[in-house]
Amino acid sequence: MKFKKKILCIGAGYVGAPSNVMIACKCPDYKVTVVDINPQRIDAWNSDSLPVYEPGLDEIVKKTRGKNLFFSTDIDNQIKENDIIFVCVNTPTKTFGTGAGMAADLQYWEKTARQILENSKSSKIVIEKSTLPIKTALAMERILASGKGDITFDVLSNPEFMAEGTAIHDLENPDRVLIGSRETPNGLAARAQLVEIYSRWVSPEKIITSNIWSAELSKLVANAFLAQRVSSINSISALCEKADADISEVARAVGMDSRIGSKFLKAGIGFGGSCFKKDILNLVYLCHFYGLPQVAAYWESVVKINEYQQERFITNILQSMFNTLAGKKICILGFAFKADTGDTRESPAINITRMLLAEHAEVVISDPKALGNAAVDLAHDEGKISYIEDPYQATAGCHALAIMTDWDLYRNLDYRKIYKSMIKPAFIFDGRNIIDQHKCFEIGFNVFPIGKPALTRL
Ligand code: NAD
Ligand code: UGA
């Protein structure tokens, strides 16, 4: 079959693969190839057991793979063959040198830019989909312009706003698609090509265009605003616990103001995931770089409140369990950073588990999708850790259970049965406020919610 357009995605991770799977699904006349340096990842994308758990993803991959969707490790040849290239490689926080712990580590991204330059025999549109610091497109343009010959590269910024766990829904029905370009004739023509791709399934008023730096910055700012709401409500949850108010009632009352809105006001053990902390620290670094220490301090406080929330949670466990956890068995219910994903990157459960191990507690970890990643995350931690998927087996014989992930599964467990199998007095620390706390108290548990008075007989 002759395809109308050929699209390449470099980076087959949580964002590159699903976003390009969606293009393949919506544009059957386009050939979409996703490449990665990691051969195991590509093998998994070509198998029946995909490397990413995402509701609805399996079905779309099955429908398109081998028809107009392909996964490959042959990056060099694919660069030659494709004219539109999405760059979706990882951009983690730098762990060394200048900006360590804050700035984005751009080594994977720069390697890709050089690889595109080396292998291109025709002009290309190169699209930043990874989240990058402002002005990265300029660096990308400079690298790509450093080659000899007369081929040209147009760099666009098309940040991705999908969230894990709802990626397929978000990709299919985005709030908006943002495309930043240079305002030159070539830049505008490249932009028009990308607009055409999204127009296949996204309505025109939701496809917005902007200058390239605004697009790069908007992505960091959107994540910073979302995380800020979580830290704002979490900071108030601490006050509620002291002052006998109920954070769910406060969030409801505040969120019904249409100027504020009700989303992202769920108090919990703090935000996790690979991006919020990374992107805010990136923003903080940029503010310092541009000589704006007050702005940097404002955004850094969002991360500090997130750390404080986790420390508070552990202090609460320790104090309510008679100031000693040594030798006590505690079940972590949920290890993923949120429901409906197996991703554990920056999951609060990692820190909470480590803090429990530091107190010499024995930790049992349970999760329907994230046990494999949990075992990798904790591979080098010392202490007694076990991994049990079944929540009833996992909680049996424990002194306490701590709910870390808002999996629906945990809302309606048979807590009476769980109570019977636990050591008394039995404790629940509901880090997500998802269970029927009063019912669990009636069953006999001592219940410690977030941002609400504890229900305890002790
Ligand atoms: P990821 O680590 O899951 O995937 C990145 C992939 O890129 C990896 O498989 C890695 O092997 C591959 N890679 C690295 N260097 C490469 C190279 N030179 N050539 C080919 N492949 C290479 O990361 P992710 O979660 O998909 O995030 C990617 C980017 O998208 C980040 O900048 C992130 O901030 C952004 N983002 C992520 C999400 C999300 O939900 N995870 C949402 C929006 C934006
Ligand atoms: C987030 C953004 O929502 C996406 O728009 C963005 O594209 C993505 O980051 C990214 O750049 O990687 P994601 O991290 O997948 O998506 O998931 P979210 O739903 O935003 O949740 C992030 C964390 O905040 C989770 O740990 C979640 O449990 C927590 N959260 C969220 C709360 O504690 N309370 C809330 O009310 C909402």
Side-chain angles (χ1 to χ4, degrees):
M1 173 172 174
K2 180 139 175 42
F3 291 102
K4 196 170 163 200
K5 270 192 206 307
K6 285 196 283 179
I7 295 170
L8 177 65
C9 165
I10 304 183
Y14 285 88
V15 75
S19 57
N20 282 273
V21 166
M22 186 54 71
I23 295 177
C25 170
K26 298 293 180 185
C27 312
D29 51 339
Y30 296 176
K31 183 180 178 193
V32 178
T33 308
V34 183
V35 291
D36 204 287
I37 37 168
N38 180 339
Q40 288 85 24
R41 224 170 200 189
I42 291 299
D43 285 349
W45 282 112
N46 279 320
S47 77
D48 286 338
S49 171
L50 303 184
V52 166
Y53 170 71
E54 197 55 69
L57 179 64
D58 280 45
E59 289 83 337
I60 312 188
V61 170
K62 274 189 197 131
K63 249 182 16 197
T64 46
R65 198 174 52 193
K67 294 191 180 102
N68 69 327
L69 172 70
F70 301 90
F71 293 95
S72 160
T73 48
D74 187 3
I75 305 176
D76 290 353
N77 272 319
Q78 289 301 332
I79 291 173
K80 283 189 193 92
E81 280 181 21
N82 287 276
D83 301 326
I84 299 178
I85 305 178
F86 285 95
V87 180
C88 303
V89 300
N90 39 329
T91 52
T93 304
K94 215 175 156 192
T95 54
F96 54 88
T98 304
M102 280 215 172
D105 183 347
L106 298 174
Q107 58 173 310
Y108 309 101
W109 165 87
E110 183 174 330
K111 191 168 171 280
T112 308
R114 291 181 187 281
Q115 208 169 357
I116 294 175
L117 176 64
E118 272 162 32
N119 291 289
S120 291
K121 304 274 181 261
S122 58
S123 297
K124 316 262 175 217
I125 297 174
V126 179
I127 305 156
E128 300 177 339
K129 200 170 244 320
S130 302
T131 304
L132 295 159
I134 188 165
K135 292 280 160 86
T136 305
L138 184 61
M140 175 79 105
E141 284 172 349
R142 285 189 178 149
I143 292 174
L144 293 172
S146 68
K148 298 181 193 82
D150 51 10
I151 57 174
T152 57
F153 296 93
D154 288 296
V155 179
L156 300 175
S157 166
N158 170 221
E160 182 51 64
F161 297 102
M162 55 152 249
E164 288 177 36
T166 53
I168 299 304
H169 172 271
D170 298 347
L171 290 165
E172 197 158 20
N173 313 283
D175 284 348
R176 78 303 205 187
V177 167
L178 174 59
I179 304 174
S181 70
R182 290 285 197 176
E183 271 135 1
T184 57
N186 277 359
L188 296 176
R191 185 169 97 182
Q193 287 216 44
L194 192 51
V195 168
E196 191 195 313
I197 297 177
Y198 284 109
S199 303
R200 290 291 186 96
W201 76 97
V202 182
S203 54
E205 71 279 6
K206 289 195 171 167
I207 303 178
I208 56 173
T209 54
S210 73
N211 99 26
I212 196 158
W213 321 127
S214 309
E216 288 179 330
L217 186 57
S218 301
K219 172 64 199 178
L220 292 182
V221 173
N223 272 0
F225 272 51
L226 289 168
Q228 178 213 41
R229 285 175 69 93
V230 177
S231 278
S232 296
I233 201 72
N234 283 342
S235 73
I236 300 301
S237 75
L239 181 56
C240 286
E241 285 167 34
K242 296 279 181 207
D244 295 330
D246 179 325
I247 195 66
S248 305
E249 292 174 354
V250 174
R252 180 162 155 253
V254 171
M256 278 177 78
D257 185 325
S258 60
R259 294 168 303 174
I260 297 173
S262 61
K263 293 183 180 162
F264 271 72
L265 289 183
K266 276 198 212 89
I269 21 110
F271 57 77
S274 63
C275 293
F276 276 1
K277 184 174 164 196
K278 158 177 91 69
D279 293 348
I280 294 174
L281 292 177
N282 193 341
L283 187 64
V284 169
Y285 183 76
L286 284 170
C287 293
H288 280 301
F289 178 83
Y290 286 106
L292 303 168
Q294 291 84 352
V295 185
Y298 174 74
W299 287 107
E300 196 167 8
S301 70
V302 172
V303 176
K304 287 191 177 148
I305 286 288
N306 202 49
E307 287 161 1
Y308 167 69
Q309 189 74 347
Q310 293 171 26
E311 284 155 17
R312 262 175 17 83
F313 191 74
I314 270 295
T315 306
N316 205 4
I317 295 183
L318 183 61
Q319 287 180 353
S320 43
M321 292 181 73
F322 321 112
N323 291 307
T324 174
L325 300 177
K328 289 183 182 166
K329 209 168 156 188
I330 300 184
C331 178
I332 296 283
L333 273 187
F335 207 82
F337 80 96
K338 63 183 284 198
D340 294 324
T341 176
D343 194 354
T344 59
R345 291 177 294 176
E346 296 291 337
S347 175
I350 301 175
N351 276 342
I352 302 288
T353 301
R354 291 198 172 130
M355 291 190 236
L356 292 173
L357 292 172
E359 292 293 337
H360 294 183
E362 188 179 328
V363 184
V364 184
I365 293 168
S366 190
D367 191 287
K369 294 285 175 196
L371 286 192
N373 282 335
V376 173
D377 294 332
L378 301 172
H380 303 295
D381 285 87
E382 285 182 15
K384 282 193 172 170
I385 314 174
S386 47
Y387 302 90
I388 303 177
E389 188 175 325
D390 180 79
Y392 297 103
Q393 282 175 28
T395 44
C398 286
H399 294 75
L401 63 90
I403 300 175
M404 296 284 109
T405 311
D406 46 345
W407 285 106
D408 261 346
L409 165 75
Y410 301 146
R411 291 178 201 276
N412 300 312
L413 290 174
D414 182 346
Y415 282 101
R416 199 172 292 281
K417 180 172 159 186
I418 289 177
Y419 179 74
K420 279 191 195 142
S421 73
M422 286 177 66
I423 307 231
K424 313 296 179 316
F427 295 80
I428 294 186
F429 298 91
D430 185 0
R432 296 289 190 164
N433 284 343
I434 58 166
I435 57 165
D436 185 336
Q437 295 161 347
H438 284 278
K439 191 170 158 203
C440 286
F441 176 63
E442 280 158 24
I443 289 170
F445 281 108
N446 296 292
V447 183
F448 292 82
I450 298 273
K452 303 176 191 212
L455 301 167
T456 169
R457 296 178 186 81
L458 298 169

